[in-house]
Amino acid sequence: MTDVATYDGRIAIIGDCSGRDAHQTVDCTDMALAPGFIDVHSHSDELWLVDGRALGKICQGVTTEIGGNCGTSVAPLYGEARVRKARDARTYRLDVDWTTFDEFFGAVERSGVACNVASLVGLGTTRACISGASDRRLEREELDAQTQLVREAVEHGALGVSSGLIYEPSRYADLAELSACAAVAREAGAARYVSHVRDEGDGLIEAIDEALAIGRAADVAVRCSHHKAAGRRNWGKVHRTLATIDRARSRGADVAIDAYPYVASWTELATILPDAIRRGGEAATLERLRDPAIAASTAMLLQFARDPATGGDSWHDILITDTGSDRNAAFAGYRLDEVAAHWRLSPARAAIRLLVEEELRVDCAFFSMSEDDVAAVLTADFCCIGSDASARAFEGPTARGVPHPRTYGCFPRVFGRFVRGRQLFSTEEAVRRMTSLPAQLFGIANRGEISDGAWADLVVFDPRRIVDRATYERPFVPPEGLRDCFVNGTAVLRNGDYTGARPGRVLRGGQ
Ligand SMILES: [Zn+2]
């Protein structure tokens, strides 16, 4: 039996502590003691300010979150980026009173947060700062201004750049723009390009190739986010992309992925709209959808795209999780075909009506993946776990709608469903994918392992029992089998109860 002693936030002794005095002892007999889990793919961002308790993550054993994913970050906020963030924040009655990462991180430190936090800088956000919603290539001066924002963000502690190439306006960035930004991030000391790639469905293979090409052009590490093949006709493609990444790695490229253990993704309903409708920003999109002729032709295109005869997924595969206003809030938890039946409209027409009435603010879970693909991705030894969810509580302002269950169950589910259930890999391998691997892939220093002098981020769980309990129907349920959680040596969860402590630190540059 080995003892682990912590002092002043760090691990001080690993070995025999018998006969020594301790302020507090924790008996871990028959339990697993692991480094705290690192959630590399969080969208908490400003929610750290809304509810710093981060209960939904703490209950899973997450002690560090990396935000700023998918091209959107909480800073820098100029121009259109500021307008958008202010609108998002209004849902939570939060004042956006910061502009730079330095100011935002300072605000988080003042308000306090239960877990450690770090962030990438989103290239959709920096683009919106410079050229708003525009869908064109940037002028030379605009690109220079954008890279200057990237440089400043890295100097303030961002761990790298992220892109979200299905979102407005991140998707209008081409290989040259993305590479230029990633190269500047490298010069400033954060050589990481993290991407929600351009296409996770029909164009997945090409999209992964593009991410790898940006890594080569900018000479940076590449992290492909929430790796998956979406849509029935694309199932199985992950075997090809995993082989591509494997080959790149064997040639010396620093490429890795993250994933969550669910078959449903979770994003904006607006992502189903055709490119021509989404171009030019939200106001332009809404104006088009309000035009009856354009709405009718868009509905036809959508209906065709989801035609089972062409391998399309069914409308029943779309579950509404949240709406921007209260007007249609009662539809949260319902499938799109059910909303359509309620309104006596075709599903495509119902989707458009919902988008117009909610001014595009509709979030949905899309049941678009095969579990065999999810298993293949999780098994790759360069895959770490990322929830793709923000830190929400079980009550209060962040407990809106019917969030994707990964918000409250992602990490325990890996153990319950894929370690014990499908027996894909050992408990130790699962822990590695949540701790030392992500620390190494994202440059988080002195965390992710139990070693002399490392920060005392620790979790105690029962490997025979740990399992998620949150479901699509009832997400607000904590997992089972995870007993204690410590952040920087301070207990945030003891015997399954929250202590209310907020010992988290902002990890600028991973430190
Ligand atoms: Zn994403």
Side-chain angles (χ1 to χ4, degrees):
M1 193 62 96
T2 305
D3 299 322
V4 175
T6 73
Y7 178 74
D8 201 17
R10 294 189 184 246
I11 292 166
I13 304 171
I14 304 171
D16 186 359
C17 295
S18 50
R20 286 174 179 262
D21 278 340
H23 172 65
Q24 181 187 24
T25 55
V26 179
D27 184 359
C28 299
T29 309
D30 291 334
M31 303 289 273
L33 174 69
F37 304 149
I38 298 174
D39 188 352
V40 300
H41 197 106
S42 151
H43 285 289
S44 298
D45 300 341
E46 68 271 19
L47 291 197
W48 291 322
L49 293 177
V50 176
D51 190 341
R53 296 176 300 165
L55 299 185
K57 294 293 176 77
I58 292 299
C59 74
Q60 301 185 48
V62 170
T63 55
T64 298
E65 281 197 293
I66 301 175
N69 278 284
C70 299
T72 302
S73 57
V74 81
L77 295 181
Y78 300 95
E80 172 77 9
R82 178 163 211 95
V83 172
R84 284 181 187 220
K85 189 51 78 188
R87 195 177 42 211
D88 293 348
R90 222 177 297 145
T91 308
Y92 301 101
R93 303 203 168 129
L94 176 71
D95 280 335
V96 176
D97 57 1
W98 67 90
T99 303
T100 64
F101 265 112
D102 211 31
E103 292 164 358
F104 174 74
F105 286 153
V108 172
E109 284 166 334
R110 281 191 298 280
S111 68
V113 62
C115 58
N116 304 305
V117 304
S119 187
L120 304 160
V121 55
L123 297 182
T125 299
T126 52
R127 197 179 213 270
C129 285
I130 301 301
S131 67
S134 77
D135 56 3
R136 59 181 169 75
R137 213 167 150 181
L138 298 186
E139 304 292 339
R140 183 77 242 172
E141 310 76 65
E142 290 173 318
L143 183 57
D144 288 346
Q146 194 188 352
T147 56
Q148 189 50 42
L149 291 179
V150 169
R151 183 182 300 278
E152 185 185 83
V154 172
E155 285 166 0
H156 289 187
L159 303 178
V161 293
S162 81
S163 66
L165 302 180
I166 69 163
Y167 297 112
E168 303 279 326
S170 197
R171 60 207 297 254
Y172 301 114
D174 60 11
L175 192 143
E177 179 182 330
L178 296 166
S179 305
C181 291
V184 167
R186 168 175 51 72
E187 287 166 20
R192 266 171 224 102
Y193 172 71
V194 183
S195 185
H196 177 152
V197 298
R198 210 172 280 281
D199 191 332
E200 295 183 320
D202 296 352
L204 173 66
I205 310 265
E206 297 78 6
I208 294 296
D209 287 344
E210 181 191 41
L212 297 185
I214 290 163
R216 285 192 302 273
D219 190 19
V220 295
V222 175
R223 311 283 175 249
C224 297
S225 302
H226 43 58
H227 193 55
K228 67 170 82 69
R232 274 164 224 276
R233 62 177 166 241
N234 299 306
W235 288 358
K237 275 185 184 173
V238 294
H239 294 284
R240 282 174 65 190
T241 53
L242 292 173
T244 301
I245 294 169
D246 229 356
R247 270 198 308 279
R249 287 169 59 85
S250 65
R251 286 196 297 264
D254 182 358
V255 185
I257 59 177
D258 66 70
Y260 47 79
Y262 295 86
V263 295
S265 63
W266 187 26
T267 190
E268 299 163 9
L269 180 61
T271 56
I272 69 169
L273 292 171
D275 288 357
I277 301 299
R278 293 176 64 203
R279 241 168 217 288
E282 295 184 342
T285 301
L286 277 170
E287 195 177 321
R288 291 185 192 110
L289 291 179
R290 285 185 179 123
D291 179 313
I294 298 178
S297 63
T298 304
M300 267 173 61
L301 279 171
L302 290 179
Q303 205 67 53
F304 178 75
R306 297 194 81 81
D307 184 351
T310 59
D313 298 329
S314 100
W315 291 98
H316 189 71
D317 294 332
I318 304 180
L319 170 76
I320 293 150
T321 62
D322 198 6
T323 55
S325 79
D326 290 338
R327 182 172 178 182
N328 294 299
F331 286 132
Y334 286 87
R335 306 286 183 137
L336 202 54
D337 59 343
E338 295 167 337
V339 178
H342 178 79
W343 278 339
R344 297 173 196 277
L345 291 171
S346 74
R349 285 289 199 163
I352 292 171
R353 174 169 164 186
L354 202 52
L355 286 168
V356 169
E357 288 186 358
E358 296 297 330
E359 297 184 327
L360 306 182
R361 293 277 176 291
V362 185
D363 288 335
C364 293
F366 295 80
F367 290 81
S368 60
M369 287 169 255
S370 91
E371 184 146 289
D372 285 343
D373 279 5
V374 173
V377 168
L378 291 173
T379 308
D381 62 5
F382 46 83
C383 178
C384 52
I385 307 302
S387 72
D388 201 358
S390 20
R392 295 172 188 268
F394 296 91
E395 33 50 58
T398 60
R400 286 179 55 84
V402 187
H404 192 297
R406 67 197 187 197
T407 313
Y408 303 97
C410 172
F411 287 77
R413 185 178 173 88
V414 173
F415 295 101
R417 194 170 181 91
F418 293 94
V419 173
R420 293 202 306 279
R422 292 183 67 137
Q423 308 202 334
L424 291 185
F425 39 77
S426 65
T427 298
E428 290 82 354
E429 260 303 306
V431 168
R432 185 183 73 88
R433 284 161 163 69
M434 302 171 181
T435 57
S436 56
L437 181 66
Q440 179 218 326
L441 294 178
F442 286 81
I444 304 289
N446 298 314
R447 299 183 191 273
E449 54 181 41
I450 300 177
S451 62
D452 219 355
W455 287 100
D457 294 344
L458 297 163
V459 293
V460 179
F461 66 93
D462 183 344
R464 293 153 304 185
R465 278 187 51 231
I466 186 171
V467 71
D468 59 307
R469 288 288 177 231
T471 63
Y472 295 96
E473 293 73 29
R474 290 183 62 230
F476 299 109
V477 188
E480 285 177 12
L482 196 134
R483 197 187 72 186
D484 309 311
C485 182
F486 297 83
V487 175
N488 299 316
T490 299
V492 288
L493 189 75
R494 274 297 269 131
N495 297 314
D497 292 329
Y498 303 103
T499 66
R502 299 186 183 202
R505 300 167 62 104
V506 175
L507 309 182
R508 291 179 178 80
Q511 301 286 328

